[in-house]
């Protein structure tokens, strides 16, 4: 390599992930090992005996599988030629493919063995070159989240627990336990032990609600009123786990255990004093609000919580769950406020939510998707009442920052405020006639869960839905075809496939281009699994969360471990990109959206987005062959 060319090569490689993470000396050493090739359009690169890693400086190539199908198109800053490198991975082999130059190319070539030796002590950079998509995507997630231990939500519970606890025996009376709580530690709870095993919990509020209010004699044993098998956390668990338990289950005293034995308790006051985890307290404040304008005033606090979660690099499933819990709290409180304003509901009902809200994948753009299931004895006058209730809740949610659904999939719409029998008829109609309009409606309400009212109505509707799925090949096929309509932006390799018109012109719609496709593809296979399981035993625990669905597909061997890691890595990476984009918009005082200027992506993000798009495209082909 001519010394005069090295500075130019270094400058180029310094902007390409993962070379941008190397120190200047290492980068210069690697640049000095490179050979340069000029190839014309139509030339084929033989990878069978090659020990080279190729980096495109200019021009373009295409990869095709041995059956002739397109694998990918590559341009400047893309790598290929990983067949030897994959031998370094445990039992992972790269798929064979051909490389053809489709635009005159200048290519940097580097011996793989030489590169491995040079990067041997830099695993994050080395992992990037793995040919397997999951390895590359996961390395991206690890690099981005490597600072997670600095996050507000990631302190060990041992740092915030209250070690002043009361241990009592299961044979003690209610009065004796109450005395111990007051005298020993002035504690708000006591832990009940039996033969050195931790078996239950009693709080001061339990004493009021379960003993005083119900007139239970204080001479009874404490086991008659204790909470058996309470939720617990371990001493080394992270604070966010305790916070999530508090929010999800509405509890305020969580035992901290070590090898199963209690060593302390963690409460909201412990958290706010030490780490200011406001999500718990926002939910608590929401539950106590009486006026709509007070509720709407919490929007800024909700935004601050989202920013704190994203900045702290909290796992994306935790962010979605926390934001969903907050949205649940708004929704439930507004239903209660509507009932207080309108009077008691005239019949049984169930408020359900759909879409990202139902999947616990809420973000700052999540809008309202919901419906009302009424008891079958609901009258026309009852429907008028629930229409007013839906209006109150929908407007209230909008005032609190949750946009109205542009497709009007909301309880305020007459069609989505109906008795259970009508809802069941909807599912039966969708199942026998899965055409476009009906398929769109069904897709919205395939993901739904109970928020307020009688959950049995939602359970019965879910059972009806599973019945329609059972052995319904035509419906599964229609849902699969619907999941294949949108394609990831692989057709243009030098520039992204961008929105062409309107205020978001020349941007990449990260939701449409990737996230919705992954969610829909995973849902198709999950629904096929539900169909099979329901046919076998007549019942199934229906999951709405995408990651939970993916885990079940692995558990039931619908997909293998490699596919599981591929899809999970792609799903998490895309959501991470979306969250980061929304965070940036909020910090700049802008309204967040899903449209990203491709110039905003750094080399790292561009590389991993391309890997994600390739993976999605391959998975779509698998779904096409299997279901269409």
């Amino acid at each position: 390599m001519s010394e005069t060319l090295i500075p130019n090569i270094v400058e180029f490689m310094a902007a390409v992930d993962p070379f941008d993470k190397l120190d200047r000396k290492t980068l210069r050493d690697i640049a000095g090992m490179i050979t340069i090739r000029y190839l014309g359009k139509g030339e084929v690169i033989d990878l069978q005996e090659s020990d080279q890693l190729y980096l495109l400086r200019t021009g373009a190539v295409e990869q095709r599988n041995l059956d002739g199908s397109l694998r990918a198109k590559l341009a400047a800053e893309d790598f290929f030629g990983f067949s030897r490198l994959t031998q370094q991975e445990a039992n992972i082999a790269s798929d064979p493919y051909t490389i053809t130059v489709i635009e005159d190319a200048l290519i940097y070539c580097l011996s793989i063995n030489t590169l491995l030796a040079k990067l041997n002590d830099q695993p994050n950079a080395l992992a990037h070159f793995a040919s397997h998509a999951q390895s590359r995507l996961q390395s991206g997630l690890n690099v981005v989240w490597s600072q997670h231990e600095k996050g507000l939500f990631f302190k060990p519970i041992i740092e915030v627990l209250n070690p002043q606890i009361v241990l009592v025996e299961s044979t003690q009376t209610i009065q004796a336990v109450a005395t111990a709580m007051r005298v020993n530690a002035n504690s708000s709870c006591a832990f009940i032990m039996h033969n050195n095993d931790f078996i239950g919990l009693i709080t001061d509020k339990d004493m009021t609600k379960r003993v005083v209010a119900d007139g239970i004699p204080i001479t009874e044993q404490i086991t008659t009123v204790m909470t058996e098998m309470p939720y617990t956390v371990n001493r080394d668990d992270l604070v966010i786990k305790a916070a999530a338990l508090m929010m999800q289950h509405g509890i305020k005293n969580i035992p901290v255990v070590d090898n199963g034995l209690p060593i302390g308790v963690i409460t909201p006051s412990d958290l706010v004093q030490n780490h200011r985890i406001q999500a718990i307290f926002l939910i608590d404040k929401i539950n106590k609000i009486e006026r709509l304008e007070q509720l709407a005033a919490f929007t800024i606090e909700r935004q601050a919580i989202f920013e704190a979660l994203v900045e702290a690099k909290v796992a994306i499933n935790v962010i979605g769950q926390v934001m969903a819990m907050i949205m649940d709290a708004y929704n439930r409180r507004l239903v209660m406020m509507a009932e207080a304003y309108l009077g008691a509901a005239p019949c049984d009902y169930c408020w359900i939510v759909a879409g990202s809200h139902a999947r616990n994948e809420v973000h700052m753009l999540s809008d309202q998707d919901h419906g009302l299931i009424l008891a079958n004895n609901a009258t026309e006058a009852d429907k008028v009442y629930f229409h007013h209730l839906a209006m109150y809740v929908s407007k209230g949610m909008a005032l609190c920052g949750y946009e109205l659904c542009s497709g009007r999939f909301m309880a305020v719409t007459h069609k989505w405020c109906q008795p259970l029998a009508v809802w069941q008829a909807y599912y039966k109609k969708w199942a026998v006639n899965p055409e476009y309009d009906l398929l769109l409606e069904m897709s919205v309400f395939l993901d739904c869960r109970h928020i307020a009212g009688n959950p049995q109505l939602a359970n019965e509707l879910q059972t009806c839905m599973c019945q329609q799925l059972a052995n319904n090949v035509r419906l599964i096929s229609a849902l699969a075809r619907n999941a294949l309509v949108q394609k990831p932006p692989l057709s243009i390799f030098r520039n992204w496939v961008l929105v062409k018109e309107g205020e978001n012109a020349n941007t990449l719609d990260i939701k449409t281009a990737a996230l919705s496709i992954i969610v829909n593809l995973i849902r198709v296979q999950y629904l096929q699994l539900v169909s099979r399981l329901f046919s076998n035993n007549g019942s199934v625990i229906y999951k709405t969360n995408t990651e939970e669905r993916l885990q079940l597909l692995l558990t039931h061997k619908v997909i293998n471990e490699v596919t599981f890691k591929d899809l999970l890595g792609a799903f998490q990476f895309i959501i991470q990109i979306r969250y980061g984009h929304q965070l940036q918009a909020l910090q700049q005082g802008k309204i967040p959206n899903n449209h990203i200027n491709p110039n905003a992506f750094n080399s790292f993000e561009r590389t991993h987005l391309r890997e994600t798009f390739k993976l999605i495209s391959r998975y779509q082909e698998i779904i096409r062959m299997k279901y269409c």
Side-chain angles (χ1 to χ4, degrees), residues 123-397:
N124 286 336
L126 184 61
H128 173 85
F129 295 102
S131 66
H132 200 267
Q134 184 272 328
S135 298
R136 298 176 71 178
L137 288 171
Q138 194 59 49
S139 72
L141 291 167
N142 291 340
V143 171
V144 174
W145 293 353
S146 63
Q147 299 301 313
H148 74 277
E149 68 276 5
K150 296 180 181 179
L152 198 62
F153 284 71
F154 287 92
K155 300 296 182 182
I157 284 174
I158 192 68
E159 293 185 14
V160 302
L161 66 79
N162 178 0
Q164 299 298 318
I165 59 175
V166 175
L167 299 180
V168 299
E169 289 296 324
S170 60
T171 54
Q172 290 184 248
T173 64
I174 294 172
Q175 183 179 32
V177 171
T179 301
M181 290 169 63
R182 176 174 60 85
V183 173
N184 292 355
N186 195 24
S187 176
S188 61
C189 65
F191 300 155
I192 294 90
M193 309 294 293
H194 180 73
N195 293 333
N196 293 322
D197 291 329
F198 174 43
I199 64 168
L201 171 75
I202 188 75
T203 70
D204 50 5
K205 289 188 176 180
D206 293 336
M207 289 290 192
T208 301
K209 294 179 179 179
R210 301 177 187 175
V211 179
V212 178
D214 291 342
I216 303 296
I218 59 176
T219 54
E220 292 283 330
Q221 282 191 0
I222 192 64
T223 51
T224 61
V225 293
M226 72 178 184
T227 298
E228 297 183 24
M229 304 299 292
Y231 294 101
T232 63
V233 291
N234 293 311
R235 54 170 289 155
D236 297 323
D237 283 337
L238 301 179
V239 170
I240 187 62
K241 181 173 182 178
L245 285 173
M246 290 178 185
M247 290 182 288
Q248 186 173 357
H249 302 290
I251 52 181
K252 294 186 176 180
N253 295 272
I254 302 181
V256 181
V257 298
D258 185 15
N259 293 322
L261 297 178
I263 61 171
V265 63
I266 188 167
T267 65
S269 60
D270 297 321
L271 298 182
V272 75
Q273 178 181 345
N274 290 276
H275 296 287
R276 299 171 294 150
I277 297 183
Q278 294 300 318
I280 309 164
F281 308 101
L282 174 58
I283 291 175
D284 191 50
K285 287 187 283 188
I286 289 171
N287 291 335
K288 296 175 180 177
I289 286 299
E290 300 293 339
R291 299 200 307 275
L292 186 55
E293 63 271 17
Q294 293 176 314
L295 199 59
F298 291 146
T299 301
I300 295 177
E301 190 168 342
R302 173 169 62 92
Q303 175 180 319
I305 290 168
F306 175 80
E307 291 184 28
L309 288 166
V310 178
E311 285 181 326
K313 306 297 187 227
V314 173
I316 60 98
N317 64 316
V318 174
I319 298 176
Q321 183 184 36
V322 170
M323 299 308 293
M325 290 174 183
I326 294 173
M327 194 170 181
D328 287 355
Y330 276 108
N331 208 154
R332 289 194 185 102
R333 188 58 191 159
L334 282 164
V335 170
M336 295 176 65
M337 291 169 66
E339 282 198 44
Y341 177 73
L342 297 170
C347 67
D348 255 0
Y349 74 95
C350 177
W351 185 284
I352 57 172
V353 295
S356 61
H357 188 183
R359 294 193 300 272
N360 289 314
E361 294 163 9
V362 172
H363 50 96
M364 286 304 293
L365 297 180
S366 291
D367 61 0
Q368 301 182 49
D369 290 306
H370 46 66
L372 269 168
I373 308 171
L374 312 182
N376 283 329
N377 62 356
T379 65
E380 290 302 315
D382 295 341
K383 291 182 181 179
V384 172
Y385 169 92
F386 286 108
H387 178 74
H388 287 297
L389 183 142
M391 288 284 289
Y392 186 103
V393 175
S394 298
K395 288 182 177 180
M397 292 291 287

Side-chain angles (χ1 to χ4, degrees), residues 434-452:
E435 300 304 325
Y436 177 75
D437 289 341
L438 298 180
L439 196 62
L440 175 63
E441 294 177 352
M442 186 178 194
S443 294
V444 173
F445 288 104
L446 279 172
D447 303 333
C448 62
R449 61 181 174 86
H450 159 267
I451 281 289

Side-chain angles (χ1 to χ4, degrees), residues 23 111 174 207 439 483 568 590:
D23 61 76
S111 165
I174 294 172
M207 289 290 192
L439 196 62
L568 181 62
K590 300 177 181 177

Side-chain angles (χ1 to χ4, degrees), residues 36-190:
I36 300 176
R37 293 181 64 182
Y38 299 92
L39 298 175
K41 181 177 179 180
E43 290 194 63
V44 176
I45 301 174
D46 185 4
L47 299 179
Q48 296 303 312
E49 302 299 328
S50 174
D51 67 347
Q52 299 289 301
L53 181 68
Y54 300 88
L55 170 60
L56 277 163
R57 174 66 188 261
T58 62
V61 303
E62 68 177 13
Q63 298 175 330
R64 289 193 176 273
N65 298 314
L66 296 186
D67 63 1
S69 60
L70 181 65
R71 188 173 188 265
K73 291 185 178 182
L74 309 177
E77 299 184 4
D78 279 333
F79 293 92
F80 62 93
F82 305 105
S83 56
R84 292 294 181 88
L85 184 60
T86 51
Q87 297 173 10
Q88 305 297 322
E89 299 184 63
N91 301 318
I92 296 179
S94 61
D95 298 327
Y97 58 88
T98 62
I99 292 286
T100 303
V101 178
I102 57 176
E103 185 178 311
D104 293 351
L106 186 157
I107 304 177
Y108 293 157
C109 308
L110 180 65
S111 165
I112 288 175
N113 291 332
T114 302
L115 177 66
L116 290 175
K118 197 66 183 176
L119 299 181
N120 190 50
D121 59 347
Q122 302 189 50
N124 286 336
L126 184 61
H128 173 85
F129 295 102
S131 66
H132 200 267
Q134 184 272 328
S135 298
R136 298 176 71 178
L137 288 171
Q138 194 59 49
S139 72
L141 291 167
N142 291 340
V143 171
V144 174
W145 293 353
S146 63
Q147 299 301 313
H148 74 277
E149 68 276 5
K150 296 180 181 179
L152 198 62
F153 284 71
F154 287 92
K155 300 296 182 182
I157 284 174
I158 192 68
E159 293 185 14
V160 302
L161 66 79
N162 178 0
Q164 299 298 318
I165 59 175
V166 175
L167 299 180
V168 299
E169 289 296 324
S170 60
T171 54
Q172 290 184 248
T173 64
I174 294 172
Q175 183 179 32
V177 171
T179 301
M181 290 169 63
R182 176 174 60 85
V183 173
N184 292 355
N186 195 24
S187 176
S188 61
C189 65

